[in-house]
Amino acid sequence: MQDAENAPAADDGAAWRDVFVAYYAANAPGKASMVTDKLMATWEGRYPTLYANLIKKYGELGKPKAPPRPPPRKPTLGKPSSGRAEKGAAGDALDEHREAFAALVAAKRGEAGLAPA
């Protein structure tokens, strides 16, 4: 459908369904499954308005618009993190736990008769 002269009557749901399926197949193939009975019932009598909205969003039939670019990412504050905890109060506590864990492992290895690591 190129213009309003070739458009089906506003209440001809079967003809409009064909128009929408053809439109989506040409301009947004991944969205073709959206043409359902529910969509047709929701827009009943207002199919020309839906078609105009599709053209605004996806472009003229056979001339799809490029998808919009995502907004630029906001810069992070400070330097990028390495994913490791920085030294300080938390880093010192981690070292203390590491030493306690190593002591527990050594004690269990000794109980099991294994050589120290």
Side-chain angles (χ1 to χ4, degrees):
M1 185 176 86
Q2 294 296 329
D3 53 35
E5 293 175 13
N6 297 329
D11 61 346
D12 188 352
W16 277 104
R17 178 185 292 268
D18 293 340
V19 168
F20 295 137
V21 169
Y23 180 86
Y24 276 122
N27 285 47
K31 303 282 185 175
S33 64
M34 290 179 57
V35 182
T36 62
D37 291 339
K38 182 177 179 181
L39 174 92
M40 299 305 291
T42 300
W43 286 91
E44 187 172 359
R46 300 179 298 137
Y47 301 126
T49 303
L50 175 59
Y51 191 74
N53 291 343
L54 292 175
I55 290 172
K56 282 182 193 174
K57 185 170 184 176
Y58 298 110
E60 292 289 332
L61 179 63
K63 299 176 186 173
K65 288 182 179 178
R69 298 181 109 186
R73 296 176 79 165
K74 293 181 180 178
T76 58
L77 300 176
K79 64 180 182 177
S81 173
S82 65
R84 296 181 137 186
E86 294 186 25
K87 287 287 185 181
D92 293 340
L94 183 61
D95 286 341
E96 290 173 21
H97 291 292
R98 183 178 294 120
E99 290 170 10
F101 179 75
L104 286 171
V105 170
K108 289 293 180 185
R109 288 182 69 85
E111 290 174 12
L114 299 173

